Amino acid sequence: MAMTVQERVRATEEAVGQLRVGLGAVGVVLPSLRMDPVSAAGGGPDLPLVDLGRCSVDVALRIVAVLHEVEGVAP
């Protein structure tokens, strides 16, 4: 059975919350992180999109550093 609009929005909000917590745990804060309101308003079967937004160069470099740590490779 297909998810209702409310279920899709809730699932997307949960994913955004988990992403915010996970990124915060490694010192990354994306201030514009949110559920994309345009895709949430659509009636399509897919979940709404997650908008990662914009970030500063410092945050972008922090993300790169975290990815390198996970990969075990120095930047």
Side-chain angles (χ1 to χ4, degrees), residues 1-52:
M1 182 173 167
M3 294 173 76
T4 66
V5 171
Q6 292 83 6
E7 290 170 332
R8 292 186 343 226
V9 167
R10 257 190 308 252
T12 304
E13 288 174 339
E14 177 66 24
V16 168
Q18 289 180 25
L19 183 57
R20 183 174 283 118
V21 169
L23 289 171
V26 294
V28 175
V29 176
L30 295 176
S32 303
L33 179 63
R34 67 184 182 144
M35 177 177 53
D36 174 56
V38 174
S39 64
D46 295 325
L47 292 175
L49 298 173
V50 174
D51 185 354
L52 300 176

